[in-house]
Amino acid sequence: MDRVALRGLKARGHHGVFPREREEGQTFIVDLVLGLDTRPAAADDDLAKTVHYGIVAEEVVAVVQGEPVDLIETLAERIAQACLKHDGVQEVEVCVHKPDAPITVPFDDVTVTITRSRV
């Protein structure tokens, strides 16, 4: 399976279990790896035969900016399901970064990574 990756998609969302997170929001960063067969697109040099990663990026940002959830696990699942709606995408790995998580000790990042596929 071939892979198309999008790294560092940034969007502001209001996800989290604490009231401050819901009220103020924060930046979330999303990395995606889409699994698909790119051979038909490459053979015909045809965008319609692959995944349009620009559209995927816009959809992912819309999910992050959309309805708040408590957990980034839930956010990652919603992003994965949006990606799998594209016909050619057979598998997706989603990594959601929450670099401003409300943690009381120094840290660089918090991430949740999931992999989902068509079954």
Side-chain angles (χ1 to χ4, degrees), residues 31 33 72-81 91-96 111-116:
D31 301 324
V33 179
I72 58 175
E73 291 87 344
T74 306
L75 183 60
E77 185 67 34
R78 288 184 178 180
I79 291 168
Q81 295 309 313
E91 181 177 272
V92 61
E93 179 182 281
V94 177
C95 180
V96 176
T111 66
V112 168
T113 303
I114 66 170
T115 302
R116 299 292 182 264

Side-chain angles (χ1 to χ4, degrees), residues 12-31:
R12 189 158 187 86
H14 293 265
H15 311 290
V17 296
F18 297 112
R20 190 178 118 248
E21 294 179 290
R22 292 293 185 105
E23 293 165 9
E24 297 176 15
Q26 60 192 290
T27 299
F28 293 85
I29 303 166
V30 178
D31 301 324

